[in-house]
Amino acid sequence: MNVEQLKTDILILGTGGAGLFAALHAHKANPDLDITIVSKGLLGKCGCTRMVQGGYNVALNPGDSVERHFMDTIEGGRWLPHQALAWTLVTTAIERVRELENEIGCFFDRNADGTLHGKAFAGQTFDRTVHKGDLTGIEIVNRLMEQVWARPKIRRLEEHRAVALIPAADGSLSGALLIDVRTGEFRYVAAQAVLLATGGGPTMYRYHTPSGDKSMDGLAMALRLGLPLRDMEMVQFHPTGLLAGPDTRMTGTVLEEGLRGAGGHLLNGALHRFMADYDEKLERATRDVVSRAIHAEMRAGRTTPNGGVYIKMGHLGPAHVAKEFKGMVDRCRDCGFDLAGGLVEVVPTAHYFMGGAICDVNTATEFPGLFVAGEDASGMHGANRLGGNGVANSTVFGGIAGDAMPRWIADNEPGHRAPDAHALDAEIERALYPFGQKSGDLNALREKLLDAMWDDVGVVRDRAGLERGIAAIDRLETELLATGVSDADRRFNLTWHDWLNLRSLCEVSRVIALAALKRENSRGAHFRSDFPEPGDLATSTFTVARQTRDGIEIGERSVEFTHVKPGETLLRDRIAAE
């Protein structure tokens, strides 16, 4: 097949916070380099960063410190984070939030004395979440988008989906294979350095928050390339996803952490405030704890009409709630709920993926020339991400990647390597596969995946359920490979892209389930009812998944406590750590 071939120096797959920051930093580091960014949808209008409501964790207040932020991150991650990555996150966040304000042009909410306002988020010992009302992500992405538009040398390929990372004949990285969604044509982009920043998006669960275009494509591509992926069992469920019934896509969308941080109450179907039955921190416990508590109430049948629980904010004053959380009040009103003064039904919803590709503090992977940032990367959060650390992670490490790639090109002078022709042809054939099969009901297959992952690989897991889930994924993938696309016209063929999305989701879902089966203890977002104890913190390990010719291999590596060990703290005042 004749495939259009393009060349660029730096290829950035993804246009969320990580990808856009990387483009701006790379351009600043070396304006002579050709930079190309690839967006599965429209620039600034797709992905998850713009959906961020809560805010940006950063230690700015004199009563706070990077050490405190670091300890919250490590303890919240149940001692599984890569400590050098976590330290880089909390220290660089200070620089990055100043950059967002002074160079990018973001406006965040401020206190009366002019300092940045930090709101309360669960799982943290200090109110450090900087925000723009409850629409922080839109503010950040809109300003980043404007900065990219102002730099014509940053080439944009919108409505292009990446389907494969292509090696060179010598085994190094050559570039990436894309599909132009508008024309259906393939494009191969050769690059000296590639950043994988497509975002995570665990949309394989019945209830999920990410945008519909997210399908774990980046990790599916990394898996096929043979990259090691860590912490793949760690799927974060946000405790309060809107539960508006099965007939609206609004079901599953997140009602942000700040509601509970501000003093919101969770009630079961009998209007009992139940968090006191599970944790002394009540609604301000970490996301994993609150999600499991809600799940337990649901399993016990103490539910609302749609099968979840309620969040109540009215006791804080309807006018106050309407002012502080306008975006969410409006969203709930659109679905028939009164967040400011009434009760809103909520359910745990798959929100963030702590698993991802292994990288160093400069975002480099073990594959020369391939870098990773944002939700495609792993190690920063361990077993549980603190609310507010997500967008900080994307912007911090996106900027680092943008600084690192020009340096790597200058130091290594890799040039443009010709792609491995066999690998390129195989990936094109793989993408075209559904056109050779008899058409079928893709939505029914997707529904099966949603149920299998929610029921058996969800908030609470056990061996029997995980084995049942793995078998269901295997059957589902077999059905998918026997199901094709009827319309042979590839232009804006959304059914074809639905098929590709579902295949990526199946591949990553299997790794999630296998890693969850491997971890026979309970840490953070991963809870095994048959192994409910966390295990010995001092001998903590993280899972590592890799695809080989024989299938998926799941191993373990020891956590390196480079900054602090379990039982210790970086805080001088131990009381402050408690």
Side-chain angles (χ1 to χ4, degrees):
M1 174 178 288
N2 186 26
V3 177
E4 181 182 0
Q5 301 206 13
L6 305 175
K7 284 187 177 181
T8 190
D9 294 312
I10 293 176
L11 177 64
I12 297 172
L13 304 177
T15 57
L20 295 179
F21 243 104
L24 293 173
H25 271 240
H27 182 270
K28 183 177 182 180
N30 187 344
D32 294 328
L33 290 176
D34 185 76
I35 300 166
T36 301
I37 57 175
V38 177
S39 179
K40 193 174 182 180
L42 296 174
L43 181 63
K45 304 298 182 183
C46 65
C48 293
T49 303
R50 70 172 287 107
M51 299 175 72
V52 171
Q53 299 171 10
Y56 192 114
N57 286 346
V58 56
L60 295 174
N61 192 290
D64 198 6
S65 67
V66 293
E67 290 83 5
R68 183 190 289 269
H69 187 186
F70 176 77
M71 290 305 303
D72 285 348
T73 299
I74 297 301
E75 291 176 344
R78 302 301 188 263
W79 293 93
L80 292 188
H82 183 296
Q83 294 194 0
L85 290 172
W87 182 255
T88 302
L89 169 63
V90 303
T91 54
T92 312
I94 297 172
E95 170 191 335
R96 199 67 83 233
V97 82
R98 298 299 189 199
E99 184 180 353
L100 280 166
E101 280 211 307
N102 299 329
E103 298 182 35
I104 304 301
C106 293
F107 286 92
F108 298 121
D109 289 6
R110 293 186 174 273
N111 298 310
D113 63 359
T115 58
L116 287 173
H117 178 257
K119 63 181 173 181
F121 256 36
Q124 303 194 67
T125 60
F126 200 92
D127 298 348
R128 65 170 65 93
T129 307
V130 171
H131 63 104
K132 172 72 170 180
D134 59 357
L135 298 172
T136 309
I138 290 177
E139 175 69 9
I140 291 173
V141 166
N142 283 355
R143 303 293 83 76
L144 287 172
M145 183 173 60
E146 290 167 357
Q147 295 293 334
V148 167
W149 280 341
R151 292 160 174 78
K153 285 204 67 175
I154 300 177
R155 187 184 350 178
R156 307 187 302 273
L157 292 178
E158 299 182 73
E159 292 187 311
H160 281 67
R161 76 175 295 161
V163 291
L165 298 167
I166 304 297
D170 63 2
S172 62
L173 188 65
S174 175
L177 178 66
L178 316 177
I179 297 173
D180 183 337
V181 175
R182 291 168 289 193
T183 66
E185 297 299 320
F186 290 95
R187 283 196 170 124
Y188 171 73
V189 183
Q192 298 193 72
V194 176
L195 175 64
L196 189 64
T198 65
T203 57
M204 65 281 284
Y205 287 90
R206 169 60 59 192
Y207 304 109
H208 58 264
T209 70
S211 58
D213 60 306
K214 309 308 281 185
S215 54
M216 312 294 281
D217 294 331
L219 295 187
M221 291 188 291
L223 192 68
R224 294 204 306 279
L225 191 66
L227 281 176
L229 310 178
R230 68 172 281 170
D231 297 328
M232 291 295 285
E233 70 275 23
M234 299 301 177
V235 182
Q236 182 171 81
F237 289 84
H238 196 291
T240 51
L242 182 62
L243 185 57
D247 298 324
T248 172
R249 179 60 185 88
M250 294 302 293
T251 285
T253 55
V254 71
L255 296 181
E256 63 131 310
E257 194 99 344
L259 295 175
R260 290 183 291 117
H265 293 170
L266 292 173
L267 312 177
N268 63 22
L271 303 185
H272 168 61
R273 188 183 176 191
F274 59 85
M275 277 308 301
D277 303 330
Y278 297 94
D279 194 280
E280 63 182 10
K281 295 179 181 177
L282 304 176
E283 286 83 3
R284 287 197 65 173
T286 53
R287 290 175 174 179
D288 55 317
V289 172
V290 181
S291 289
R292 284 196 296 276
I294 295 174
H295 185 266
E297 294 295 306
M298 293 168 63
R299 292 290 294 270
R302 297 185 287 267
T303 60
T304 61
N306 281 312
V309 299
Y310 292 115
I311 188 166
K312 180 170 77 74
M313 300 295 295
H315 58 283
L316 301 176
H320 171 75
V321 174
K323 177 183 177 182
E324 296 298 320
F325 302 102
K326 181 180 184 302
M328 280 178 291
V329 168
D330 291 345
R331 179 184 305 172
C332 289
R333 184 186 300 114
D334 289 342
C335 295
F337 293 115
D338 177 13
L339 178 64
L343 300 174
V344 177
E345 293 186 62
V346 295
V347 66
T349 180
H351 180 57
Y352 190 90
F353 198 60
M354 279 78 72
I358 293 177
C359 66
D360 63 20
V361 293
N362 290 315
T363 72
T365 70
E366 69 172 33
F367 217 92
L370 179 62
F371 299 76
V372 62
E375 206 170 337
D376 280 335
S378 185
M380 300 77 176
H381 310 294
N384 190 43
R385 177 178 69 81
L386 295 180
N389 270 2
V391 69
N393 170 61
S394 293
T395 56
V396 163
F397 288 101
I400 289 173
D403 295 334
M405 288 185 290
R407 287 199 307 267
W408 186 86
I409 291 172
D411 292 343
N412 293 275
E413 298 182 352
H416 292 91
R417 288 83 68 200
D420 181 323
H422 294 295
L424 183 59
D425 289 344
E427 289 293 349
I428 293 172
E429 182 179 354
R430 188 179 194 275
L432 292 174
Y433 175 87
F435 291 106
Q437 309 303 312
K438 184 179 179 180
S439 64
D441 189 348
L442 287 179
N443 188 61
L445 297 182
R446 178 174 171 78
E447 290 294 314
K448 290 181 182 179
L449 179 64
L450 297 178
D451 285 337
M453 293 299 288
W454 176 258
D455 292 339
D456 294 322
V457 198
V459 177
V460 176
R461 303 159 172 174
D462 61 26
R463 174 172 289 276
L466 290 168
E467 290 177 342
R468 188 166 54 245
I470 293 167
I473 294 165
D474 290 342
R475 289 194 302 271
L476 177 61
E477 189 169 49
T478 299
E479 289 185 65
L480 178 64
L481 293 175
T483 303
V485 175
S486 59
D487 187 356
D489 187 346
R490 303 204 306 264
R491 295 174 296 177
F492 266 120
N493 190 330
L494 299 186
T495 305
W496 178 29
H497 292 283
D498 285 343
W499 193 100
L500 295 173
N501 289 343
L502 191 52
R503 188 166 193 186
S504 290
L505 290 172
C506 284
E507 291 172 341
V508 176
S509 295
R510 179 181 293 108
V511 183
I512 293 171
L514 289 170
L517 192 61
K518 178 71 173 180
R519 178 174 287 283
E520 293 185 339
N521 59 37
S522 294
R523 293 284 184 96
H526 170 75
F527 186 84
R528 290 278 298 263
S529 59
D530 49 349
F531 294 96
E533 298 303 319
D536 179 31
L537 296 181
T539 58
S540 295
T541 61
F542 59 91
T543 60
V544 179
R546 191 190 293 265
Q547 182 168 298
T548 69
R549 292 182 178 180
D550 298 324
I552 304 297
E553 292 183 354
I554 308 290
E556 292 179 304
R557 297 182 191 174
S558 297
V559 175
E560 296 182 11
F561 301 114
T562 54
H563 290 61
V564 64
K565 296 178 181 178
E568 300 177 352
T569 180
L570 296 187
L571 302 182
R572 295 179 182 178
D573 181 0
R574 177 166 287 277
I575 295 176
E578 297 176 350

